[in-house]
Amino acid sequence: MTRVLILNGPNLNLLGTRQPEVYGTTTLSDIEDMCRAHSDGAEITFMQSNHEGAMIDAIHAAKSTQDGIIINAGAYTHTSVALHDALASVELPCVEVHLSNIHAREAFRHHSYIAPVALGQIAGFGAQSYLLALDALGAHLEARV
Ligand code: DQA
């Protein structure tokens, strides 16, 4: 069975009430339910942390327990060399996800430290971005076997 870590970064615990005009009204718990319903038999570990170190620890732990990672690193996307290095170190296939289209927003959101170590990036489709990421990662993992 395919094992996927879906890792969410800072402030994403506030989804539902956080800037609904940007992020919609779907909560992170709703997104978790949607991912589990969409998982097609994959075993999903869903987590959120506001702390960069905790996210790095989760990526390290994934090396021996997961087949791939879906990550919405929130604002750390644009700042964290450490998350970039963690993902590069574990060498797991990774898909970068954003609810909003970061390229259509402020210039400081246009650069991603995750993108160079990801298979690809899905941004701008709200909660649906996560489901597209599951499909993309699933197809990648299937093509490898
Ligand atoms: C986000 C986009 C980031 O720029 C922002 O800091 C977030 C959420 C998104 O899902 O659209 O926290 O990752």
Side-chain angles (χ1 to χ4, degrees):
M1 188 193 283
T2 307
R3 302 157 302 169
V4 178
L5 170 65
I6 304 181
L7 181 58
N8 295 280
N11 301 308
L12 292 167
N13 54 312
L14 301 180
L15 285 180
T17 55
R18 174 193 182 196
Q19 295 179 276
E21 69 285 3
V22 178
Y23 298 114
T25 53
T26 308
T27 66
L28 195 61
S29 167
D30 293 335
I31 292 175
E32 178 175 357
D33 290 345
M34 289 166 67
C35 287
R36 291 193 188 284
H38 193 78
S39 64
D40 199 21
E43 185 184 311
I44 305 243
T45 301
F46 197 94
M47 70 165 278
Q48 186 274 333
S49 177
N50 293 320
H51 304 279
E52 193 175 15
M55 294 179 70
I56 291 165
D57 288 344
I59 292 167
H60 291 176
K63 186 173 173 60
S64 56
T65 57
Q66 306 289 339
D67 298 306
I69 298 176
I70 292 171
I71 183 167
N72 183 350
Y76 289 145
T77 303
H78 319 298
T79 63
S80 182
V81 176
L83 280 175
H84 168 109
D85 286 352
L87 289 165
S89 302
V90 299
E91 294 179 320
L92 284 171
C94 164
V95 178
E96 177 183 0
V97 160
H98 300 283
L99 296 145
S100 64
N101 179 357
I102 56 174
H103 302 287
R105 298 183 63 195
E106 302 96 321
F108 66 82
R109 296 186 203 275
H110 296 179
H111 179 261
S112 167
Y113 282 100
I114 307 299
V117 287
L119 295 170
Q121 182 191 74
I122 299 170
F125 297 98
Q128 191 75 22
S129 291
Y130 285 78
L131 308 186
L132 295 167
L134 271 170
D135 291 345
L137 183 61
H140 174 84
L141 291 170
E142 213 163 284
R144 277 197 332 188
V145 286

